[in-house]
Amino acid sequence: ENNYFAYADLYKTFVDMGAKWIFHQGAQVRSDKNTAFCQLKLYLNSKLGWDTSLKEEDLVNEFFDGYFGVASTSMRRYFDEIYDTLEAFNGGVGKLNRNCFKYEDLTRWLGYCEQALLDIEPLKQTDKVRYQTIKKNIECEMLSPRYLLIRLYKEYKGEEIVGVDSIKDLFIDDFIHWLTNKRP
């Protein structure tokens, strides 16, 4: 759900009602293979659960700076546009259709991710571990717009799809590469 900026009010309401403990059932991290948006929800819940006076916007900026490092500006732009798109379309519940996910938006979002990859390039020389971590985070975020371009516009990496099976195989290769950091 598109509820990133609802947590502070939620927790403040609980505190105002006298709650001493909160058992939050939400996004769970089951591995290190989650998107930044899932991690962001956990981060907001963790921080705001302890201190309801914190500002969500500050926490989101802090999260992006930590999770994407020098690529945080590009990736925050990506997040903000996806958030706004889903918020405008049916209050945060997007459907896999061209009305919600416009071609121009999907390609622009991939462009933000590609810029983010360029942003972190200097880390390859100075901090290889950090570079690999952030690169993997960015590549994960690229999977959704790529999938939507395949599903809705029959396009993959800027090329029109001719054979769907081969494109599915390429997408699966991208996913496996992200998951394992190795090409199958």
Side-chain angles (χ1 to χ4, degrees):
E1 283 189 42
N2 209 23
N3 55 3
Y4 298 94
F5 297 101
Y7 293 122
D9 285 339
L10 178 69
Y11 287 120
K12 284 177 189 172
T13 300
F14 290 151
V15 168
D16 291 347
M17 293 170 49
K20 302 292 183 212
W21 300 276
I22 297 171
F23 180 71
H24 181 80
Q25 291 182 306
Q28 313 277 316
V29 174
R30 301 196 191 285
S31 73
D32 66 341
K33 311 295 188 249
N34 293 299
T35 66
F37 302 151
C38 177
Q39 301 290 356
L40 175 58
K41 283 187 179 192
L42 292 169
Y43 184 77
L44 290 171
N45 282 317
S46 298
K47 291 291 200 170
L48 291 165
W50 285 103
D51 184 353
T52 60
S53 70
L54 297 173
K55 306 268 185 270
E56 288 164 318
E57 185 65 27
D58 294 341
L59 292 173
V60 171
N61 288 333
E62 187 178 287
F63 172 82
F64 272 81
D65 288 345
Y67 199 80
F68 292 110
V70 294
S72 67
T73 301
S74 298
M75 295 309 292
R76 178 64 196 264
R77 204 172 286 141
Y78 172 72
F79 168 78
D80 287 341
E81 287 191 19
I82 290 174
Y83 181 91
D84 291 344
T85 296
L86 293 175
E87 193 62 26
F89 192 83
N90 203 17
V93 180
K95 305 257 189 269
L96 293 181
N97 66 48
R98 292 179 180 203
N99 292 328
C100 182
F101 296 105
K102 299 192 180 329
Y103 178 84
E104 301 79 29
D105 294 339
L106 294 169
T107 56
R108 188 175 56 255
W109 298 342
L110 279 173
Y112 293 149
C113 294
E114 289 164 359
Q115 179 59 52
L117 289 172
L118 293 174
D119 294 343
I120 65 167
E121 194 63 27
L123 286 175
K124 196 187 284 186
Q125 305 305 317
T126 60
D127 190 345
K128 290 180 183 175
V129 172
R130 182 83 171 128
Y131 170 80
Q132 286 300 325
T133 299
I134 295 173
K135 181 176 183 268
K136 191 171 187 176
N137 293 345
I138 294 167
E139 287 174 342
C140 175
E141 302 310 316
M142 296 176 88
L143 292 171
S144 291
R146 280 198 181 139
Y147 170 76
L148 289 166
L149 282 168
I150 291 168
R151 175 90 160 46
L152 301 175
Y153 298 97
K154 307 292 185 240
E155 182 180 294
Y156 182 75
K157 293 188 178 184
E159 303 284 328
E160 186 177 342
I161 293 175
V162 178
V164 173
D165 288 339
S166 63
I167 297 304
K168 285 180 184 176
D169 291 342
L170 289 171
F171 182 77
I172 290 168
D173 287 351
D174 278 349
F175 182 78
I176 290 170
H177 169 68
W178 166 77
L179 194 62
T180 63
N181 222 13
K182 296 182 225 167
R183 286 285 171 201

